[in-house]
Amino acid sequence: MEIDIFVNILEVTGTVAFASSGALTAVQCGMDLLGVNVLALVTAAGGGVIRDIIIGRLPPAMFSSPLCILVSLFTANLIFIILKAACKKNKLSRFTDIYDRIMPVLDTVGLSVFTVTGINAGIDLGYSTNYFLLVFSGTVTGVGGGVIRDIMADRKPYIFVSQIYACAAVVGAVVFLPVYHLCGFIAAGAACFLTVAVIRSLAIFFRWNLPHISSKNFRNSKGE
């Protein structure tokens, strides 16, 4: 029972964080109320749906439990109402600054939480010794919704161009495994959450990025 409560708290927390990031992205892209709700929902639930289809949990948890949908839609509409009111009072001028500051925080919380719940989904299906599947399940749950959000918003997926993101989920999932077998799920979940959050926070603060080749340099090498 304690584990169920712990997982439910994590799921609600992650859903609010990712739904908020989806709603804010939709507002920034000029979408209407329907777009705000859809982007919030796919950001919060998309990774879990991809995970469930891959690991064979059908129908996906999103459709068997309304909690994720209800929390996502409530969060999206609340954000829309707040921003609409701010717009009427001409107080929306700082939205871009607020967006740039809060988005990394929301994505970090959502990534940390859903990495844990993604691993839990694999354990629930009896894959507690299939370490590769558990790491994959946690990672795809953490990053999947954000990728769908960015594709629907017509921009490069955040995980491929910004500070260390998916790698943080992988490391957190790997940390989860030995702690789980030694100390149980709650301790492992806490260790995974903190690992992902710390790596992401450090990456944001110090602007750590994986090596990449500038597209500008690539064009120059072709003589363009």
Side-chain angles (χ1 to χ4, degrees):
M1 183 61 67
E2 289 182 358
I3 293 177
D4 290 339
I5 295 174
F6 179 65
V7 172
N8 287 335
I9 292 173
L10 287 178
E11 287 182 343
V12 172
T13 303
T15 298
V16 170
F18 267 167
S20 298
S21 75
L24 290 171
T25 299
V27 171
Q28 189 194 44
C29 293
M31 296 184 185
D32 61 14
L33 180 59
L34 177 61
V36 171
N37 279 273
V38 169
L39 217 61
L41 183 57
V42 300
T43 306
V49 172
I50 295 172
R51 173 204 67 215
D52 289 344
I53 292 173
I54 291 175
I55 67 176
R57 185 163 76 175
L58 299 174
M62 167 184 170
F63 301 106
S64 59
S65 172
L67 179 63
C68 177
I69 297 175
L70 293 176
V71 172
S72 297
L73 296 181
F74 176 81
T75 302
N77 285 281
L78 179 61
I79 288 176
F80 186 86
I81 291 171
I82 292 173
L83 294 180
K84 190 70 173 177
C87 186
K88 289 182 178 180
K89 295 180 180 179
N90 296 317
K91 294 183 178 181
L92 203 59
S93 58
R94 294 188 61 195
F95 173 70
T96 300
D97 290 337
I98 294 173
Y99 177 86
D100 290 339
R101 291 176 181 273
I102 198 172
M103 275 295 291
V105 176
L106 295 174
D107 271 340
T108 296
V109 173
L111 177 68
S112 303
V113 166
F114 281 130
T115 300
V116 178
T117 60
I119 296 172
N120 180 64
I123 293 174
D124 281 347
L125 287 183
Y127 297 115
S128 60
T129 58
N130 189 333
Y131 301 141
F132 178 78
L133 184 143
L134 293 181
V135 172
F136 178 84
S137 178
T139 302
V140 76
T141 306
V143 307
V147 171
I148 298 173
R149 173 199 65 204
D150 293 339
I151 291 173
M152 294 183 71
D154 192 27
R155 62 188 197 182
K156 292 180 182 179
Y158 188 74
I159 69 169
F160 300 138
V161 297
S162 190
Q163 289 91 6
I164 293 171
Y165 194 87
C167 292
V170 172
V171 174
V174 170
V175 168
F176 177 98
L177 300 175
V179 180
Y180 173 70
H181 289 291
L182 290 173
C183 306
F185 181 83
I186 293 180
C192 177
F193 178 93
L194 290 173
T195 300
V196 178
V198 168
I199 293 175
R200 274 291 294 150
S201 299
L202 291 174
I204 293 169
F205 184 79
F206 291 107
R207 299 185 181 277
W208 292 341
N209 289 288
L210 293 176
H212 71 284
I213 299 174
S214 171
S215 58
K216 181 179 179 180
N217 292 338
F218 182 75
R219 288 195 297 268
N220 290 340
S221 70
K222 296 173 65 177
E224 297 181 3

